[in-house]
Amino acid sequence: MVWQKYNGEKIHASINDAVEDIIKTEIHLGNKLKVYIGTDSQVKRGIVEFATVIVFLREHKGGFMFINRDKIFRRLSIKERMLTEVQKSIDIAYQLCPLLDQYHIDLEVHADINTNPNFESNIALKEAMGYIMGMGFQFRAKPESFASTNCANKMVQ
C-alpha cells in the first residue's frame, strides 16, 4: 500500500512506522491524539476509486491525515461497495490497533453509510456496524462519520 500526506508527499516508511513516528512526535509536543479511520469511494466510468484515510486529531489543536488510494476495475453493487469500504478501513484499523493500544490512543472506524433508511447506502448499515463492532472497534456512521464522509470523500472527488 502506498500512503501519502495531504500535501501529496509520499510516505516511504511502513504505515506502522510512520504512525508510530507521528505518535512519538505528538506525545513529545504534549498533544493528546485520537485516530479515526474511514474509507469512501466514487464510481467514475465503471471504475471504483477508493480513498482510505487515517485522521489524527490533536485535542484542541487541529489535525492531519494520511491517505491511501486504490481502484477496482469492475462494477460493484451499492452494498458490495459499502462493505468493501468498511473492509478497507477495518484492515488498516486492525493493522494499527496494537500500536495504538501500546500508546493508549483511542480509535474510531467511520463508515460512509447513512443511518437514514431513505438513502441507498443504508442497505449495508447492519452488516457494517456488526462487522466493525464485532472486531472490537468503535463505530460511527453518517452524519457522525467525518473521516469517511468528509476527509476520504474529498480525496475521491
Side-chain angles (χ1 to χ4, degrees):
M1 282 187 135
V2 177
W3 288 88
Q4 66 184 43
K5 297 179 181 178
Y6 185 70
N7 67 3
E9 178 186 337
K10 296 235 186 296
I11 297 169
H12 297 288
S14 73
I15 194 59
N16 283 55
D17 289 346
V19 168
E20 187 166 26
D21 287 347
I22 289 296
I23 291 169
K24 287 178 178 178
T25 300
E26 294 298 327
I27 288 172
H28 178 74
L29 294 171
N31 294 324
K32 182 172 171 30
L33 284 178
K34 188 162 181 181
V35 172
Y36 305 84
I37 297 173
T39 303
D40 194 15
S41 62
Q42 189 78 29
V43 180
K44 298 176 183 174
R45 288 177 251 122
I47 298 169
V48 185
E49 295 182 19
F50 293 92
T52 300
V53 297
I54 305 168
V55 179
F56 302 88
L57 278 189
R58 300 178 194 103
E59 192 171 80
H60 308 295
K61 294 187 179 177
F64 54 95
M65 66 181 168
F66 291 166
I67 304 137
N68 172 264
R69 290 185 173 100
D70 192 15
K71 293 180 182 179
I72 293 180
F73 296 93
R74 63 181 176 86
R75 294 197 183 275
L76 302 174
S77 69
I78 187 71
K79 187 172 186 176
E80 187 178 9
R81 186 162 58 100
M82 296 297 104
L83 293 175
T84 301
E85 290 176 8
V86 169
Q87 176 67 50
K88 289 177 177 296
S89 295
I90 287 288
D91 287 349
I92 193 63
Y94 190 74
Q95 183 179 339
L96 294 177
C97 197
L99 180 63
L100 299 175
D101 285 348
Q102 176 185 338
Y103 288 97
H104 309 288
I105 295 175
D106 290 334
L107 168 68
E108 283 184 10
V109 176
H110 289 187
D112 188 39
I113 296 174
N114 209 303
T115 54
N116 183 333
N118 295 327
F119 289 85
E120 257 190 309
S121 66
N122 184 266
I123 193 169
L125 181 64
K126 286 182 184 176
E127 290 92 335
M129 185 168 42
Y131 183 29
I132 293 169
M133 292 175 72
M135 293 294 289
F137 299 115
Q138 291 182 8
F139 167 78
R140 295 284 183 260
K142 280 181 179 177
E144 300 170 340
S145 58
F146 70 87
S148 58
T149 305
N150 299 103
C151 300
N153 178 269
K154 184 176 177 97
M155 298 294 103
V156 291
Q157 291 301 315

